[in-house]
Structures are given as C-alpha cells and as structure tokens.
Amino acid sequence: MEQKTVTKVFKVEGMSCAGCARRIEENLHKTTGILYARVNIATEKATITYDSSKINTREIANLVENIGYKLLEEETDDESRIDFCKRRFFYSLIFTIPGIILMLLEMSKITIIPYSDIIQISLSLPVILLAGFNIIKTALKSMVHLAFGMDVLIALGTLSSLATGILKISGFNIENYALIGAMIMTFHLLGRYLEAIAKGRATNAIKELIQLGAKDARVIRDGKEIDVPIEELQTGDIVIVRPGEKIPSDGIVIEGDTYVDESMVTGESIPVRKTVGDSVIGATINQLGTIRVRITKVGKDTFLAQIIKLVESVQESKVPVQELADKITGIFVPSIIIISIGVFLFWILFPQFGISILEKVSFLLPWVRLGDSVLSQAISAMIATLVIACPCALGLATPTALVVGTGIGAKRGILIKTGEAIERLKDVDTVVFDKTGTLTLGRPEVSYVWSKLTIEEFLKIVSSIEYNSEHPIAKAIVDYAKRKGVTPIKIESFRYIPGKGIIATLDGKDYIVGNKHLLTENRYNVSLYYETIEMLEKDKATVVLVADEQDIVGVIGVSDVPKDNARYVVKSLKNLGLKVIVLTGDSKSNASTMKDKLEVDQVIAEVLPQDKVSIIKGLQEQGKIIAMIGDGINDAPALKQANVGIAMGSGTDIAIESGDIVLINSDLYNIIRAIKLSKETFKKIKQNLFWAFFYNVIAIPIAGLGLLHPVIAEIAMALSSLNVISNSLRLRRIKLDEQ
C-alpha cells in the first residue's frame, strides 16, 4: 500500500515535566506508522508525522492515553487550561486549610482533637486521590511502562505520606504524615496553576498574532456591499476598506490611493503608500483613503497565517542543548527514586548519625522533630528527597526561553524558523552579504542631480517627460521628483527611441532625455560632461542627459544605491567583533569603491551566482562560522550552505522558504537585533539550566539528611520552576535597539 504521509500538531494534556514529553516521544517512535514525533513541554504540543495508511489519529490518541496522557486534535486555549488548574487547586485548598489548622492546634498542644488521625486521613484523601487524580493516574501508568517522570515522584511522595496515616491507625509506631501528603499535592497544584499562567504569558506572541486578524470583511456581491465573517471570504472577492479599518486578507489594490500601517508584520512604524496594482497584507491597517482590494489569499494561505505557522513551528522545535537536558531528565527520575530508597535505608541503618546532625541544627529549623521514631524520620527524609528532586525546572529551562525569544523576534519582523538557527547565530564570527537587494535597495534610485536650471524647474521637465515611459529608470526619476514635491504636467508629444531615450515637446519646447549616444547623434556637445559621466559610470550609475533646443541643461545619475543604514549596520557588526564580507558581481574597481563607502572588511568582486556556495564553503573550511544574508531568491543555495541563512524578505512566500531566519521588512538593523536576541536567549537558557542543576545538587543532600520538611521541599520545587519561567519572561525587557 502506498505511504500517505500526514503531519499534525496536537495538544497534549497531563504533562508535568520534560520526562513526560520524552516518554511520549519514545512510545510514539516505537509505533509502526509513526515517522516522526516531537513533544514540547513549554507549548504542550506534539508534532506528529505518520503514515495514515498504517495508523490513524484515534489509534495515536489511544496510544498516548495508555501511558497516562491525553492527545487532543482540537486545541484547548490557555484560558481553559488555566481555569482547569485553578479549579483543581482551590478544590484541594478547601480540604487542606482545615488540615493545616488541625496540625497547628496539635503542634501548639492547645487542645486534644479526638479521632485526629482519622480526620487527617479523611481530609487528605480528597486532595490526593480526587484533586490529584490525574497526577496519580499518570504516575501509575508511567510506572507500569517503566517510565518515570515528575508525576511519579509527586505520586510516590503523597501516597507514601498517606500510607503513614493508614499505618498509624493500624497500630504502627509511626508519625502520621497524611496531611503532609495533602499539603504537598496542594502546593504542587498551586505550582501547576502559576506555571499555566506563566506559560500563557510566554506564548503571548502567538495569541497576539492571531488576534491581529480582521473579524469580518465588507464585500461587494451582486452589486451590493455586505459584511461577512472573515471565514466566509473567498479568493477573488472585492472588498472595500475604509480609513482606520483592517485589510481583511491578502490582496491587490484595484481602486484608490492610501497609506497602510504594516508594522504588525514588518516592525516598521512608517506607513507605506499603496495604490492600484500594489499588494496588501491581511490584518494591516488602512490609514488614509478608501480602497478596493481583490482578495488573492484566504485562511491558512495568507501571509499572517504563514507567520503564525512559522513561529509555532520554531516554538515546538528543540535545540541541541535541550536534547542534552532531556537525556539527563530521562535518567534523572529513576536515579532519584534509587537515591530516595538509599536515604530511607540510611536512616534505618544509621539513625544516630542522622539524628546527631538534626540535633546540631534543630534550633535553626523549627520543623525538625527530634522525638519522632526512626521510621518516621526515614519516611520524612525519603518523601522530602522524592519531592525536592522533581526535574520540572530542568525541563522548562530551554523551551520557555525559546518560546519567549522567538515571540519577541516575530513582533519585530524577525522570523526565526528553527531552534537550531537561534542557537547557531550566537556563535557566528563572519557575516557575508550579497550586495544587490541586501546592502543596496535592489532597484534604481536617483543618486546624482545637476542642472543649469533650478532643481524644481529641471525636475518638472524631466519627470513630465519620463512619466510617459514604463522603463525602471524613468520610474525612478518620477518617484524622486514626487518625493521632492514636484508634480509632472502634461506634455504635447512623445517619441521613444529604443535603447537611447525620449524626444518630447513640453510647453511648446522640444526636449531630449537620454544617454550620451542619443545626444551625440543630435549634435550636442557631450564632451563637456565627460568627467561627470565617467565619475557616475565608475560608481555603476546609469547616466541620463537632459537637453532643450539649445544645450544640455542637466545630468541625472541613477543607480542601485546602498540602503540608508547600510554603513551603520556594517559598523555595528564590526563593533560586535564580527568580520563583514560582501559578495558582488561588480568589477574590482567598483567593488573597491563599495569597500571604501561601507567600510567592510572584504569585498569579493566579479562573483557569479553559482560561485557563492563555493565561497561560503571555502570560508567554512577555514573554520569560520558564517551567517549569509541574501535577498531570498537567487541566493537560496548559499543561504542553505551557510551556518545560518538570513533572507531579506518583503512578505513574499519565496523569501520565507529561503533562509533559517527571515527579516520581513528587509531592515538591515534587524540583523543586529537577531544576533542580540540569539545571545540574550541563550544567556537565559544557560542561567535556567545552571540554577536548575544547582538547585538539585544543593537540595537533594539537604533533603536526604532530614533537614527539609516535605512541605518545604515541595514549595522549593515549585519556586524553582517558577524562577525558570520568570527568568525567561525577563527576555521581554531586552533593548534590541541599543548599542
């Protein structure tokens, strides 16, 4: 039977740590028909590629459910998850608070509570077995499959505590820790609740992007304007967008002239002019005039939907450092169970050694009870060790920072497509630019103007004549005149000379606009301007001469000019300690001029498109770690060869496919921001991993020696997880625009 490959993203419920995610992955990979599985604890999502001819989604869901988790095709939102965690916590609190009061009364010896042990067990049972039902169930299923995660440690700790109460009323000389088990479960559920809130904040970038979309559209159907929900919009529909309204979906302007705020996809605050024939992006805001737009893409095909998909995919990916953390987590829990058993045996075999330590610190630690039996001390230390060592913080260290970091990038127009890219970018030591369309605008722009006339008069003449031409050079001159506030006027006659220029009549006078060959043929003395022409041609500019009936009246140079901030960005990269290289097809003399203008370290000239890959390979063979920046179209092979490929995009599908990172608004400074974001994100990951490891290295011996009350151990464990999440959230404060 032919393989039918399907990839789906599912919501996973019931995970509590990286061990849970790893366990689900391992079981899926063992299953016939599953080709790929990746589970992310931070986003609580599973990306699964499977052969639908061998296995279906129901069978996959059953497989996951058999090991204690729930796989959902319909994604539950953060609010539902937070509400669920909140309800479980408050339910447990109803029983735990009376239990705490009972414990305090007994400890203070204010009164003797009859049937105290039975009451303690009665208050603990609903908390441990009802509020904590999912945790206990997941743990039991995990142990059946010899897989151990954080839930196993919590379940063993709380059930052991409950067992002490049952043993006590059965006649054993042992302290009743049943209420301790309830308190551990309550604090654990509080941790889950706070963690759900924090995770919701960490994944805000996705929610904000989704909320950007328009909710409805004003469509022309059967000659009438009607409002329809965005879901009913179809390709080919004509929509009317008034000032202040969101453009409902991607399309082409067919009527009107306006300015559009595209900051939600480009990060650029300056509105962009849109007129007939221009493309517009769904969810951007029309600011000035009413326009009519023909819809070209709807739903999942729109640019905004592609951005959301990209951000989700990188947030669901794993970076190499996380793979290492997951492997450690995989062996960590079984090791802790063995250590806990060892702690129990230590107290049983060497009670005097343990008690001697407690005696020395009892005046500092009010929860230390020297009068308890050896068995009680052994169980207390074992429970504290089980609880304190939960590897939740270790599992959250990397994915939470990655989720926050990529979300920040998306809001600035920096789309990071893979977790590996953001990890590699921090180590880049050489930045290689393609010149055209990357460091330069990639289109003709007026770079030089001289005239015997006033600039306004000269531009009115030349722009009025060029207005009738479709040539890119003509368009550049007209656009330049418009930016200078000059409006073209109507001409009387127009004759285009292919490859040379235009002869036209304006206000009763004849003019010639063209190259030196056209003016020489018409007996104008071009030699007077050779020095200017040579200077412009050396800079690879196209020279346009303008003459009236008597003489040449002006010269215009049109070239692909460097972007406004190109030199500043090169300087900023060098300040970061990076080497900057430019690849160009220009001659060596032109390349030398560019090197001086932009102050780059090296310009490699006369480069053919097919040579770029071999140049990148050569640099890598020298030990360089390369970031290649190109326009995302003809540079695709070189972008793939580089350690990190950065595509300059303008909202096009092809740009999004080309690089590991896409700069949506083609702002060169976003390269600096992306590098800073990579460094800061991995600084947070290292901090998170350090504190997660440090916490366990310090806490486990303390718990094993009986110096931590089990409830204090649970609080410390919950705080360590929250510390990792809150530390990742601090990424939102970084200043990407500061030097």
Side-chain angles (χ1 to χ4, degrees), residues 123-165:
L123 289 172
S124 302
L125 280 169
V127 178
I128 296 171
L129 299 182
L130 293 179
F133 175 75
N134 288 338
I135 294 165
I136 302 297
K137 183 181 76 171
T138 300
L140 293 175
K141 286 188 176 182
S142 298
M143 287 188 283
V144 167
H145 289 85
L146 297 178
F148 303 93
M150 189 177 85
D151 284 340
V152 172
L153 299 182
I154 293 296
L156 289 174
T158 53
L159 291 174
S160 298
S161 300
L162 183 62
T164 62

Short mmCIF file of all heavy atoms in Angstrom, two decimals, residues 123-165:
data_model
loop_
_atom_site.label_atom_id
_atom_site.label_comp_id
_atom_site.label_asym_id
_atom_site.label_seq_id
_atom_site.Cartn_x
_atom_site.Cartn_y
_atom_site.Cartn_z
N LEU A 123 -9.35 14.20 55.50
CA LEU A 123 -9.09 15.46 54.79
C LEU A 123 -8.08 15.28 53.66
O LEU A 123 -8.12 16.01 52.66
CB LEU A 123 -8.56 16.50 55.79
CG LEU A 123 -9.57 17.05 56.81
CD1 LEU A 123 -8.86 17.91 57.85
CD2 LEU A 123 -10.68 17.85 56.12
N SER A 124 -7.20 14.32 53.81
CA SER A 124 -6.14 14.12 52.81
C SER A 124 -6.62 13.35 51.58
O SER A 124 -6.17 13.62 50.46
CB SER A 124 -4.96 13.38 53.44
OG SER A 124 -4.46 14.09 54.52
N LEU A 125 -7.52 12.39 51.80
CA LEU A 125 -7.97 11.54 50.68
C LEU A 125 -8.53 12.34 49.51
O LEU A 125 -8.16 12.09 48.35
CB LEU A 125 -9.00 10.53 51.19
CG LEU A 125 -8.43 9.29 51.90
CD1 LEU A 125 -9.54 8.49 52.58
CD2 LEU A 125 -7.68 8.41 50.91
N PRO A 126 -9.46 13.32 49.71
CA PRO A 126 -9.99 14.07 48.56
C PRO A 126 -8.91 14.85 47.81
O PRO A 126 -9.00 15.02 46.60
CB PRO A 126 -11.01 15.02 49.20
CG PRO A 126 -11.32 14.45 50.53
CD PRO A 126 -10.09 13.75 50.97
N VAL A 127 -7.92 15.33 48.55
CA VAL A 127 -6.86 16.13 47.92
C VAL A 127 -5.96 15.24 47.07
O VAL A 127 -5.70 15.53 45.89
CB VAL A 127 -6.02 16.87 49.00
CG1 VAL A 127 -4.88 17.64 48.33
CG2 VAL A 127 -6.89 17.79 49.81
N ILE A 128 -5.50 14.15 47.67
CA ILE A 128 -4.53 13.29 46.98
C ILE A 128 -5.18 12.47 45.86
O ILE A 128 -4.65 12.39 44.75
CB ILE A 128 -3.82 12.36 47.99
CG1 ILE A 128 -3.01 13.20 48.98
CG2 ILE A 128 -2.91 11.36 47.28
CD1 ILE A 128 -2.44 12.41 50.15
N LEU A 129 -6.37 11.90 46.15
CA LEU A 129 -6.97 10.97 45.19
C LEU A 129 -8.01 11.59 44.27
O LEU A 129 -8.32 11.01 43.22
CB LEU A 129 -7.60 9.79 45.95
CG LEU A 129 -6.63 8.95 46.79
CD1 LEU A 129 -7.37 7.79 47.45
CD2 LEU A 129 -5.47 8.44 45.95
N LEU A 130 -8.54 12.76 44.61
CA LEU A 130 -9.50 13.42 43.73
C LEU A 130 -8.87 14.61 43.01
O LEU A 130 -8.78 14.62 41.78
CB LEU A 130 -10.74 13.86 44.53
CG LEU A 130 -11.59 12.70 45.08
CD1 LEU A 130 -12.79 13.23 45.87
CD2 LEU A 130 -12.09 11.79 43.94
N ALA A 131 -8.44 15.63 43.76
CA ALA A 131 -7.80 16.78 43.12
C ALA A 131 -6.54 16.34 42.37
O ALA A 131 -6.23 16.85 41.29
CB ALA A 131 -7.45 17.84 44.16
N GLY A 132 -5.84 15.37 42.95
CA GLY A 132 -4.61 14.88 42.31
C GLY A 132 -4.80 13.63 41.48
O GLY A 132 -3.82 12.95 41.17
N PHE A 133 -6.07 13.34 41.11
CA PHE A 133 -6.37 12.08 40.41
C PHE A 133 -5.55 11.92 39.13
O PHE A 133 -4.96 10.86 38.88
CB PHE A 133 -7.87 12.01 40.09
CG PHE A 133 -8.24 10.80 39.26
CD1 PHE A 133 -8.31 9.54 39.84
CD2 PHE A 133 -8.49 10.93 37.89
CE1 PHE A 133 -8.64 8.43 39.07
CE2 PHE A 133 -8.82 9.83 37.13
CZ PHE A 133 -8.90 8.57 37.72
N ASN A 134 -5.51 12.98 38.29
CA ASN A 134 -4.78 12.89 37.02
C ASN A 134 -3.30 12.63 37.24
O ASN A 134 -2.66 11.89 36.48
CB ASN A 134 -4.97 14.17 36.20
CG ASN A 134 -6.37 14.30 35.63
OD1 ASN A 134 -7.06 13.30 35.49
ND2 ASN A 134 -6.80 15.51 35.33
N ILE A 135 -2.76 13.25 38.28
CA ILE A 135 -1.33 13.08 38.57
C ILE A 135 -1.06 11.64 39.00
O ILE A 135 -0.11 11.00 38.51
CB ILE A 135 -0.90 14.07 39.66
CG1 ILE A 135 -1.02 15.50 39.11
CG2 ILE A 135 0.51 13.79 40.15
CD1 ILE A 135 -0.96 16.58 40.16
N ILE A 136 -1.89 11.12 39.90
CA ILE A 136 -1.71 9.74 40.38
C ILE A 136 -1.90 8.76 39.23
O ILE A 136 -1.12 7.81 39.07
CB ILE A 136 -2.70 9.43 41.52
CG1 ILE A 136 -2.53 10.41 42.69
CG2 ILE A 136 -2.53 7.99 41.99
CD1 ILE A 136 -1.19 10.36 43.37
N LYS A 137 -2.94 8.98 38.42
CA LYS A 137 -3.22 8.07 37.30
C LYS A 137 -2.06 8.04 36.31
O LYS A 137 -1.61 6.96 35.89
CB LYS A 137 -4.50 8.50 36.58
CG LYS A 137 -4.91 7.57 35.44
CD LYS A 137 -6.17 8.04 34.73
CE LYS A 137 -5.89 9.20 33.81
NZ LYS A 137 -7.05 9.53 32.94
N THR A 138 -1.57 9.22 35.95
CA THR A 138 -0.44 9.30 35.01
C THR A 138 0.78 8.59 35.58
O THR A 138 1.48 7.86 34.88
CB THR A 138 -0.09 10.78 34.71
OG1 THR A 138 -1.23 11.41 34.13
CG2 THR A 138 1.09 10.88 33.76
N ALA A 139 1.02 8.80 36.88
CA ALA A 139 2.18 8.18 37.53
C ALA A 139 2.09 6.67 37.51
O ALA A 139 3.07 5.97 37.21
CB ALA A 139 2.30 8.70 38.95
N LEU A 140 0.91 6.14 37.83
CA LEU A 140 0.73 4.68 37.87
C LEU A 140 0.92 4.07 36.48
O LEU A 140 1.57 3.03 36.32
CB LEU A 140 -0.65 4.33 38.44
CG LEU A 140 -0.86 4.68 39.92
CD1 LEU A 140 -2.29 4.40 40.34
CD2 LEU A 140 0.12 3.89 40.80
N LYS A 141 0.36 4.72 35.46
CA LYS A 141 0.53 4.22 34.09
C LYS A 141 2.00 4.28 33.68
O LYS A 141 2.50 3.39 32.98
CB LYS A 141 -0.33 5.03 33.13
CG LYS A 141 -1.81 4.71 33.21
CD LYS A 141 -2.58 5.40 32.09
CE LYS A 141 -4.06 5.01 32.09
NZ LYS A 141 -4.81 5.63 31.01
N SER A 142 2.67 5.35 34.11
CA SER A 142 4.09 5.50 33.77
C SER A 142 4.91 4.38 34.39
O SER A 142 5.79 3.80 33.74
CB SER A 142 4.61 6.85 34.26
OG SER A 142 3.94 7.91 33.63
N MET A 143 4.62 4.07 35.65
CA MET A 143 5.39 3.02 36.32
C MET A 143 5.14 1.65 35.71
O MET A 143 6.04 0.82 35.64
CB MET A 143 5.05 3.02 37.82
CG MET A 143 5.67 4.21 38.55
SD MET A 143 5.50 4.11 40.35
CE MET A 143 3.80 4.59 40.56
N VAL A 144 3.90 1.42 35.25
CA VAL A 144 3.59 0.16 34.57
C VAL A 144 4.46 0.00 33.33
O VAL A 144 4.93 -1.09 33.00
CB VAL A 144 2.09 0.09 34.20
CG1 VAL A 144 1.83 -1.05 33.23
CG2 VAL A 144 1.25 -0.07 35.46
N HIS A 145 4.71 1.16 32.63
CA HIS A 145 5.53 1.13 31.41
C HIS A 145 7.01 1.38 31.71
O HIS A 145 7.80 1.61 30.80
CB HIS A 145 5.03 2.18 30.42
CG HIS A 145 3.70 1.85 29.81
ND1 HIS A 145 2.51 2.16 30.41
CD2 HIS A 145 3.38 1.22 28.64
CE1 HIS A 145 1.50 1.75 29.65
NE2 HIS A 145 2.00 1.17 28.58
N LEU A 146 7.37 1.33 33.02
CA LEU A 146 8.76 1.55 33.46
C LEU A 146 9.29 2.88 32.94
O LEU A 146 10.46 3.01 32.53
CB LEU A 146 9.66 0.40 32.99
CG LEU A 146 9.33 -0.98 33.56
CD1 LEU A 146 10.26 -2.03 32.99
CD2 LEU A 146 9.40 -0.98 35.09
N ALA A 147 8.41 3.89 32.93
CA ALA A 147 8.81 5.24 32.53
C ALA A 147 8.55 6.16 33.72
O ALA A 147 7.49 6.07 34.35
CB ALA A 147 8.00 5.69 31.32
N PHE A 148 9.51 7.02 34.01
CA PHE A 148 9.41 7.80 35.25
C PHE A 148 9.56 9.29 34.97
O PHE A 148 10.58 9.73 34.44
CB PHE A 148 10.49 7.34 36.24
CG PHE A 148 10.41 5.87 36.56
CD1 PHE A 148 11.17 4.96 35.83
CD2 PHE A 148 9.57 5.41 37.55
CE1 PHE A 148 11.10 3.60 36.11
CE2 PHE A 148 9.50 4.05 37.83
CZ PHE A 148 10.26 3.15 37.11
N GLY A 149 8.52 10.04 35.37
CA GLY A 149 8.56 11.50 35.23
C GLY A 149 8.29 12.16 36.56
O GLY A 149 8.25 11.52 37.62
N MET A 150 8.06 13.46 36.51
CA MET A 150 7.84 14.20 37.74
C MET A 150 6.61 13.72 38.48
O MET A 150 6.59 13.66 39.72
CB MET A 150 7.70 15.70 37.43
CG MET A 150 7.70 16.57 38.67
SD MET A 150 7.60 18.30 38.28
CE MET A 150 5.84 18.51 38.12
N ASP A 151 5.58 13.34 37.77
CA ASP A 151 4.35 12.86 38.40
C ASP A 151 4.62 11.64 39.27
O ASP A 151 3.97 11.45 40.31
CB ASP A 151 3.30 12.51 37.34
CG ASP A 151 2.65 13.76 36.75
OD1 ASP A 151 2.73 14.80 37.41
OD2 ASP A 151 2.08 13.66 35.67
N VAL A 152 5.58 10.81 38.85
CA VAL A 152 5.92 9.61 39.64
C VAL A 152 6.47 10.02 41.00
O VAL A 152 6.09 9.46 42.04
CB VAL A 152 6.94 8.74 38.88
CG1 VAL A 152 7.45 7.61 39.78
CG2 VAL A 152 6.31 8.16 37.62
N LEU A 153 7.34 11.03 41.00
CA LEU A 153 7.92 11.49 42.27
C LEU A 153 6.85 12.08 43.19
O LEU A 153 6.83 11.81 44.39
CB LEU A 153 9.01 12.52 42.01
CG LEU A 153 10.22 12.04 41.19
CD1 LEU A 153 11.24 13.15 41.04
CD2 LEU A 153 10.86 10.82 41.82
N ILE A 154 5.95 12.91 42.62
CA ILE A 154 4.87 13.50 43.42
C ILE A 154 3.94 12.41 43.93
O ILE A 154 3.53 12.42 45.10
CB ILE A 154 4.08 14.54 42.59
CG1 ILE A 154 4.97 15.74 42.25
CG2 ILE A 154 2.83 15.00 43.34
CD1 ILE A 154 5.43 16.52 43.46
N ALA A 155 3.59 11.46 43.07
CA ALA A 155 2.69 10.38 43.47
C ALA A 155 3.30 9.54 44.58
O ALA A 155 2.64 9.22 45.58
CB ALA A 155 2.34 9.51 42.27
N LEU A 156 4.57 9.17 44.41
CA LEU A 156 5.24 8.37 45.44
C LEU A 156 5.31 9.13 46.76
O LEU A 156 5.09 8.57 47.84
CB LEU A 156 6.65 7.99 44.99
CG LEU A 156 6.75 6.95 43.86
CD1 LEU A 156 8.19 6.76 43.42
CD2 LEU A 156 6.15 5.61 44.31
N GLY A 157 5.60 10.43 46.68
CA GLY A 157 5.70 11.25 47.89
C GLY A 157 4.37 11.38 48.61
O GLY A 157 4.29 11.19 49.83
N THR A 158 3.29 11.67 47.87
CA THR A 158 1.98 11.88 48.51
C THR A 158 1.37 10.55 48.98
O THR A 158 0.78 10.49 50.06
CB THR A 158 1.02 12.58 47.53
OG1 THR A 158 0.97 11.86 46.30
CG2 THR A 158 1.47 14.01 47.25
N LEU A 159 1.50 9.51 48.18
CA LEU A 159 0.95 8.21 48.58
C LEU A 159 1.72 7.63 49.77
O LEU A 159 1.11 6.99 50.65
CB LEU A 159 0.98 7.23 47.40
CG LEU A 159 0.02 7.55 46.24
CD1 LEU A 159 0.24 6.59 45.08
CD2 LEU A 159 -1.43 7.50 46.71
N SER A 160 3.02 7.85 49.82
CA SER A 160 3.80 7.41 50.99
C SER A 160 3.33 8.14 52.24
O SER A 160 3.21 7.54 53.32
CB SER A 160 5.30 7.70 50.77
OG SER A 160 5.78 6.97 49.66
N SER A 161 3.06 9.45 52.09
CA SER A 161 2.57 10.24 53.22
C SER A 161 1.22 9.72 53.70
O SER A 161 0.98 9.56 54.91
CB SER A 161 2.45 11.71 52.82
OG SER A 161 3.69 12.22 52.42
N LEU A 162 0.33 9.44 52.73
CA LEU A 162 -1.00 8.92 53.07
C LEU A 162 -0.88 7.56 53.75
O LEU A 162 -1.60 7.26 54.71
CB LEU A 162 -1.85 8.81 51.79
CG LEU A 162 -3.30 8.35 51.96
CD1 LEU A 162 -4.09 9.34 52.82
CD2 LEU A 162 -3.96 8.18 50.60
N ALA A 163 0.07 6.76 53.29
CA ALA A 163 0.25 5.42 53.85
C ALA A 163 0.66 5.47 55.32
O ALA A 163 0.28 4.60 56.11
CB ALA A 163 1.30 4.66 53.04
N THR A 164 1.42 6.52 55.69
CA THR A 164 1.83 6.62 57.11
C THR A 164 0.62 6.78 58.02
O THR A 164 0.60 6.23 59.14
CB THR A 164 2.79 7.81 57.32
OG1 THR A 164 2.13 9.03 56.99
CG2 THR A 164 4.05 7.65 56.49
N GLY A 165 -0.39 7.52 57.55
CA GLY A 165 -1.61 7.69 58.35
C GLY A 165 -2.36 6.38 58.51
O GLY A 165 -2.84 6.05 59.60
#
